[in-house]
């Protein structure tokens, strides 16, 4: 009986996650942000790679620096996904269909995380490939043992950052304050405190994940207790 | 004049306006305070103000985006712009009044920030606060003009998008420590004529790029960009359904 109940719960969660995916998929802002981030990352790779090659392909040019700027796109993705619920009356329909708020937020986060991982893989992978094409003349290829972990780390980082954006968006319910706060932190305060420019900072998934988790938990607790 | 006063009072009543002022003054001053420096450099203070311009950008963006924020389904999706246009139906005049308010408030903000930054900087370096040369004054004028033009740039861009998020994200990321425009100069020398980079010539003496513009020419290039943008934005603002 309890196994059957658990089965039912998983089924409900999967359906909730499916509907969250459909909602994100149908959001024009999602596609616009995706296109902007992807195009921007390729443009940056183009700019960074256009200096004549002097040595082997540099990880900085094809991966670290474009990712540093792509952060902005993923912040927007998360914030927009969360705030789209509150732009009109969407949240009421959502809660009508899925009244368990904690499950609803978890399903939405899982759906967003999944999409963000795919988008991040596209942006990072596309940037690296494009960089390789541009730097074909370079003296040597990059060590795969170095590239693959860095790329995976960057993908994880961007996805976790998206979740952080969504958590902040859920807390504020408004796009501009959430996005401005997180962007200011990432691009101004954090480089200021650490003393190194944003483009020299390696993505740090393990460092960011606890923060994302903390804000996610806080946002779920707030959503559970406040008037929608 | 009454339109200007109304716009000023609307802007000053936004919490985000005060946030922008705090960011504009505190961020550059904070950087000066935090950055321990070994030897004075030619761009000390100006570099920090080039980051603090964020305050002016936020100010310009919210002046327009606040008009289009929906108040929610409860108020029939009403937006400030409906009330604004009922009160001031002449859209050209409204657009100019707003631009005037944005320009003048960011002018005042820039003066405050510049004063704060250089007071702190000179006190920490043990130089007299008021020992200013003609070149110093010209560069400070340049940095203030840069702030005013950047806030108008944000204002004009937001008039197109009607939402603050894209202009804010683009301009904010571009004003971070390494600007995208600067990276683009490595791809094409034409990037030196982008508004932000050209405008920085007005005060920065330490931009390592291939093309050198004089401060006046740099300022003129930026002013042309901003003027062009504002003209097109005004046409769009006047012709489009609100």
């Amino acid at each position: 009986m309890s196994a059957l109940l658990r089965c039912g719960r998983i089924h409900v969660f999967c359906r909730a996650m499916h509907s969250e995916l459909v909602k994100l998929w149908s959001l024009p802002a999602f596609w616009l942000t995706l296109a902007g981030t992807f195009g921007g990352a390729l443009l940056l790779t183009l700019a960074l790679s256009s200096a004549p090659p002097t040595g082997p392909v540099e990880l900085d040019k094809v991966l670290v620096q474009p990712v540093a700027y792509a952060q902005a796109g993923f912040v927007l993705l998360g914030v927009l996904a969360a705030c789209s619920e509150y732009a009109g009356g969407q949240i009421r329909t959502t809660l009508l269909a899925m009244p368990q708020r904690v499950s609803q937020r978890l399903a939405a986060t899982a759906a967003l995380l999944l999409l963000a991982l795919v988008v991040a893989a596209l942006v990072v992978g596309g940037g690296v490939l494009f960089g390789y094409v541009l730097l074909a003349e370079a003296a040597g290829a990059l060590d795969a043992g170095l590239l693959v972990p860095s790329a995976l780390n960057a993908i994880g980082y961007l996805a976790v950052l998206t979740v952080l954006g969504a958590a902040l968006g859920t807390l504020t319910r408004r796009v501009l304050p959430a996005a401005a706060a997180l962007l200011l932190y990432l691009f101004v305060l954090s480089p200021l405190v650490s003393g190194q420019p944003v483009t020299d900072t390696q993505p740090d998934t393990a460092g960011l994940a606890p923060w994302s988790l903390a804000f996610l938990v806080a946002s779920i607790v707030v959503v559970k207790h406040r008037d929608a | 004049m009454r339109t200007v006063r109304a716009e000023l009072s609307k802007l000053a009543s936004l919490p985000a306006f005060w946030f922008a002022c705090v960011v504009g003054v505190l961020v550059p001053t904070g950087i000066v305070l935090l950055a321990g420096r070994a030897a004075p450099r030619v761009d000390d203070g100006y570099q920090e103000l080039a980051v603090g311009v964020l305050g002016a950008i936020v100010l310009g963006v919210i002046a327009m985006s606040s008009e289009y924020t929906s108040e929610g389904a409860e108020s029939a999706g009403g937006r400030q712009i409906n009330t604004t246009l009922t009160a001031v139906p002449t859209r050209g005049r409204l657009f100019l009044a707003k631009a005037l308010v944005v320009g003048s408030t960011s002018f005042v903000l820039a003066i405050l920030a510049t004063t704060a930054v250089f007071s702190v900087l000179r006190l920490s370096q043990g130089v007299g606060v008021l020992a200013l040369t003609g070149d110093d004054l010209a560069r400070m004028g340049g940095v203030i003009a840069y702030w005013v033009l950047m806030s108008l740039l944000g204002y004009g861009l937001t008039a197109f998008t009607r939402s603050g998020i894209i202009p804010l994200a683009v301009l904010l990321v571009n004003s971070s420590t390494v600007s995208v425009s600067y990276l683009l100069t490595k791809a094409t020398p034409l990037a030196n004529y982008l508004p932000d980079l050209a405008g920085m010539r007005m005060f920065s003496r330490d931009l390592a790029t291939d093309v050198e513009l004089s401060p006046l020419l740099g300022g003129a290039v930026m002013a042309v960009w901003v003027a062009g943008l504002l003209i097109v934005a005004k046409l769009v603002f006047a012709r489009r359904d609100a």
Side-chain angles (χ1 to χ4, degrees):
Chain A
M1 185 63 200
S2 74
L4 205 64
L5 206 63
R6 201 175 315 128
C7 239
R9 275 202 194 132
I10 292 173
H11 181 63
V12 167
F13 185 81
C14 286
R15 282 181 55 187
M17 195 175 147
H18 177 244
S19 53
E20 291 295 335
L21 275 175
V22 171
K23 279 197 303 199
L24 284 175
W25 197 257
S26 63
L27 216 57
F30 171 77
W31 292 101
L32 286 174
T33 317
L34 174 57
T37 311
F38 194 66
L42 291 193
L43 196 70
L44 270 173
T45 314
L46 177 68
L48 291 166
S49 308
S50 57
T54 48
V57 176
E58 288 166 57
L59 193 62
D60 266 11
K61 285 187 182 169
V62 294
L63 184 74
V64 176
Q65 295 195 3
V67 165
Y69 290 105
Q71 288 185 105
F74 286 83
V75 167
L76 291 191
L77 200 65
V79 172
L80 286 169
C83 294
S84 69
E85 291 279 350
Y86 297 99
Q90 173 74 55
I91 186 69
R92 287 184 203 90
T93 316
T94 304
L95 289 180
L96 204 60
M98 183 70 188
Q100 292 99 343
R101 296 191 180 185
V102 176
S103 303
Q104 191 273 325
R105 278 325 303 162
L106 287 178
T109 307
L112 182 65
L113 189 63
L114 192 68
L115 273 184
L117 278 173
V118 174
V119 174
L122 273 177
V123 169
V124 172
V128 170
L129 273 182
F130 190 51
Y132 260 86
V133 173
L134 289 172
L135 294 171
E137 314 277 300
L142 196 65
D143 183 10
L146 188 67
L147 176 67
V148 173
S150 307
L152 288 179
N153 184 26
I155 293 171
Y157 175 81
L158 292 174
V160 171
L161 184 63
T162 313
V163 172
L164 179 58
L168 274 181
T170 309
L171 281 173
T172 58
R173 288 186 275 195
R174 284 165 58 191
V175 179
L176 219 50
L182 197 48
L183 288 176
L184 265 178
Y185 172 74
L186 285 174
F187 286 94
V188 182
L189 286 183
S190 168
L192 186 70
V193 173
S194 70
Q196 62 182 163
V198 64
T199 43
D200 289 352
T201 313
Q202 299 281 339
D204 181 10
T205 313
L208 184 69
W211 287 104
S212 287
L213 193 65
F215 275 96
L216 178 67
V217 171
S219 73
I220 291 177
V221 170
V222 168
V223 164
K224 185 163 164 43
H225 290 106
R226 83 178 161 200
D227 282 352
Chain B
M1 210 53 224
R2 282 172 60 191
T3 316
V4 172
R5 217 173 60 195
E7 287 302 326
L8 188 63
S9 115
K10 265 158 60 185
L11 187 63
S13 65
L14 292 173
F17 168 75
W18 298 103
F19 171 76
C21 293
V22 170
V23 166
V25 176
L26 282 194
V27 164
T29 320
I31 305 181
V32 171
L33 272 178
L34 284 177
R37 55 190 84 246
R41 286 167 307 165
V42 63
D43 269 353
D44 273 348
Y46 298 102
Q47 226 169 16
E48 286 79 0
L49 284 168
V51 176
V53 75
L54 286 173
I57 292 172
V58 172
L59 197 155
V61 168
I62 56 144
M64 188 51 106
S65 74
S66 65
E67 293 280 350
Y68 293 101
T69 309
S70 170
E71 308 292 339
E74 283 78 4
S75 48
R79 298 168 304 168
Q80 173 73 52
I81 187 79
N82 300 344
T83 315
T84 306
L85 287 178
T86 310
V88 188
T90 330
R91 296 199 184 181
R93 200 173 78 190
L94 176 65
F95 190 83
L96 280 181
K98 263 188 183 304
L100 204 65
V101 168
V102 167
S104 50
T105 43
S106 56
F107 178 71
V108 175
L109 181 61
I111 291 178
L112 287 177
T114 311
T115 314
V117 163
F118 282 99
S119 308
V120 170
L121 183 71
R122 290 183 170 224
L123 285 177
S124 71
Q125 286 177 341
V127 189
V129 175
L130 289 173
L132 294 171
T133 63
D135 186 48
D136 285 337
L137 283 177
R139 292 174 77 186
M140 284 180 188
V143 92
I144 291 168
Y146 180 72
W147 277 46
V148 171
L149 288 172
M150 277 306 263
S151 70
L152 289 174
L153 192 74
Y155 170 69
L157 279 178
T158 315
F160 279 106
T161 59
R162 286 189 277 193
S163 144
I165 186 140
I166 293 170
L168 199 66
V170 170
L171 293 175
L172 216 149
V173 169
N174 199 36
S175 303
S176 65
T177 26
V178 179
S179 82
V180 181
S181 316
Y182 179 71
L183 287 179
L184 283 178
T185 57
K186 292 177 180 161
T188 161
L190 284 178
N192 282 298
Y193 297 93
L194 284 173
D196 59 329
L197 212 51
M200 280 191 187
R201 307 283 174 185
M202 290 189 281
F203 56 89
S204 181
R205 299 284 183 271
D206 200 15
L207 283 178
T209 50
D210 303 336
V211 183
E212 285 296 330
L213 302 179
S214 73
L216 273 182
L217 183 61
V221 168
M222 185 179 188
V224 168
W225 271 98
V226 172
L229 177 76
L230 285 181
I231 289 171
V232 182
K234 186 204 158 254
L235 287 177
V236 171
F237 184 74
R239 301 280 153 160
R240 182 173 62 187
D241 281 355

